[in-house]
Amino acid sequence: MFPHPDFELYDNTGRTTEQINSARTGVPTSQDLRRWSVKEGSVPDTVGPAITAWTDRLHNAEPGEVAQLILLATTDPNGILPRLHEFLEAAADKLQQAGAGEAAAHMTGIVTRLGELDQDLYDTAVDAWEDINAAQRRTAATSTSPAAGSRLASPAPASEQEPAAPPTPPRSDHRSR
């Protein structure tokens, strides 16, 4: 019934049409070609574990640390977005050199949008730091007031309850500034 004695009717479950046709014709799939195009041993370690450690740190952060961690992880010169920005710029250059001009132009557009995202993240983290700081001052003022339960407490003066570490000031080399 089947041309190959080891073939079972359900051997193709979970396979794509391209994989099935590749098995029949002996021609590699596009995924095979992509995987084989990178030289063995030339790919660095995976990048995911680094951000996983930052995410774990963020989960365990005190409220006053949250905005600072966001700034450090995303917009610091050694943070995620600057490194990703650098990687994608290099990718656009390499695509252009390889003759993939349309893909290089598309990649350059992505790099531009990433620069905008970098600025948005920076602004959001600074705003969050200010909001968290104000909330901590209100909480401290409420907890020290004898009539805390009967009226709303006013925020503490700026000289009281300052956070241990202010957010990173805007950098002159910040890409979007």
Side-chain angles (χ1 to χ4, degrees):
M1 182 161 150
F2 294 109
H4 193 280
D6 293 332
F7 180 82
E8 292 291 331
L9 183 59
Y10 298 103
D11 274 356
N12 292 326
T13 302
R15 292 187 182 165
T16 65
T17 304
E18 183 184 23
Q19 290 170 328
I20 294 168
N21 290 335
S22 175
R24 286 184 186 150
T25 62
V27 176
T29 66
S30 58
Q31 181 64 31
D32 291 334
L33 294 174
R34 275 194 301 273
R35 190 174 56 251
W36 297 340
S37 68
V38 176
K39 293 179 183 114
E40 189 70 33
S42 67
V43 178
D45 293 336
T46 58
V47 295
I51 191 60
T52 301
W54 278 88
T55 304
D56 291 344
R57 176 66 181 94
L58 187 61
H59 283 299
N60 297 317
E62 297 293 323
E65 298 175 304
V66 173
Q68 187 68 17
L69 284 170
I70 294 169
L71 284 171
L72 289 171
T74 58
T75 62
D76 184 75
N78 290 315
I80 299 162
L81 289 182
R83 296 296 124 233
L84 181 58
H85 191 275
E86 182 181 346
F87 177 84
L88 295 177
E89 280 180 333
D93 290 344
K94 286 299 201 178
L95 287 170
Q96 187 67 43
Q97 292 170 10
E102 189 174 326
H106 187 71
M107 186 67 71
T108 301
I110 292 170
V111 169
T112 301
R113 291 195 318 262
L114 187 61
E116 294 165 0
L117 176 62
D118 183 16
Q119 183 63 49
D120 289 346
L121 280 167
Y122 179 85
D123 293 341
T124 300
V126 170
D127 291 346
W129 181 83
E130 292 168 354
D131 292 345
I132 291 167
N133 190 29
Q136 287 178 334
R137 284 195 305 263
R138 282 191 303 274
T139 301
T142 302
S143 65
T144 60
S145 172
S150 63
R151 64 179 173 81
L152 291 174
S154 60
S159 62
E160 296 177 23
Q161 297 292 327
E162 281 298 313
T168 306
R171 301 182 316 270
S172 60
D173 66 335
H174 197 267
R175 194 172 2 282
S176 301
R177 290 203 181 270

